[in-house]
Amino acid sequence: AWCAFCRGRGRKELWKRIKKRMKLNEAEAFNYLGTQYSIGGLSLGVLRDTNKAIELFLRAAELGSIGAHYELSLMYMVGDEVEQDTEKAIKHWKLAAIGGHEQARHNLGNMEYNYNDNKDRAMKHFMIAARAGEDDSLEKVGEGYKAGHVPKDEYASTLRAYQESVDE
């Protein structure tokens, strides 16, 4: 049967396509394979290998994958089978956020709010993510408004932008 994702005939064809895309230095091919190694991907028949995943994510990030930056940030923040490194996690969150990754932006807001006690900066991160349609960030902006950290006009503007983003 045809695989809907790879449009090929199973695992062998998927490997062939991924290798071809990697030879062309396509960031998302490296990111996809990194994800497979980070979880132990059945679609490719690979076992979980954190070191291989990090190697692939780093290459994907080098080639411009914001998703790879986000995956690296999570790995370094959690420290699951890799040494926990908050500085590296934040670095990759920032790069993913700059690239438009809303969850990375939300996580930066949480870091500023909870660990750096910088409510204003946290709210800026949350507003950017909320305007892009990130639900949890909108909730944080609402909490910030109630606590006096977000002016009424900025809260209203964020609500409108959030709704436009969700409507798209």
Side-chain angles (χ1 to χ4, degrees):
W2 288 89
C3 169
F5 174 77
C6 67
R7 298 185 203 146
R9 293 185 189 264
R11 186 178 295 167
K12 187 176 179 181
E13 182 65 25
L14 182 54
W15 268 110
K16 183 178 168 184
R17 289 173 183 268
I18 290 170
K19 286 180 181 180
K20 181 179 179 181
R21 291 179 60 207
M22 288 172 71
K23 283 181 184 175
L24 296 171
N25 282 325
E26 291 184 21
E28 292 313 314
F30 286 93
N31 187 45
Y32 177 78
L33 191 54
T35 301
Q36 294 300 302
Y37 276 104
S38 75
I39 62 172
L42 296 177
S43 63
L44 290 175
V46 298
L47 298 176
R48 188 168 189 230
D49 183 339
T50 303
N51 290 330
K52 185 70 173 171
I54 289 174
E55 175 188 322
L56 291 161
F57 286 141
L58 286 170
R59 181 67 178 132
E62 184 180 285
L63 293 169
S65 170
I66 63 169
H69 280 295
Y70 184 71
E71 293 299 327
L72 285 164
S73 70
L74 296 178
M75 293 177 91
Y76 287 124
M77 183 54 80
V78 173
D80 181 24
E81 293 191 39
V82 65
E83 187 175 337
Q84 185 180 22
D85 190 329
T86 305
E87 286 183 29
K88 283 184 182 179
I90 291 170
K91 172 189 145 192
H92 288 288
W93 270 334
K94 285 179 179 178
L95 291 167
I98 289 167
H101 198 287
E102 293 89 13
Q103 188 61 49
R105 178 73 66 182
H106 177 81
N107 292 350
L108 285 171
N110 279 332
M111 288 297 294
E112 291 294 343
Y113 196 91
N114 295 318
Y115 298 101
N116 297 339
D117 199 32
N118 190 337
K119 309 298 189 234
D120 291 335
R121 190 173 186 140
M123 288 303 136
K124 287 178 183 175
H125 284 300
F126 291 140
M127 284 188 286
I128 292 168
R131 288 175 177 160
E134 213 289 316
D135 296 333
D136 293 334
S137 289
L138 182 65
E139 187 176 317
K140 292 288 188 181
V141 173
E143 292 170 10
Y145 170 67
K146 290 174 188 169
H149 300 299
V150 177
K152 185 177 183 176
D153 61 327
E154 287 189 50
Y155 180 53
S157 171
T158 300
L159 283 171
R160 283 190 300 274
Y162 169 84
Q163 193 58 53
E164 287 174 16
S165 182
V166 170
D167 289 345
E168 284 181 5

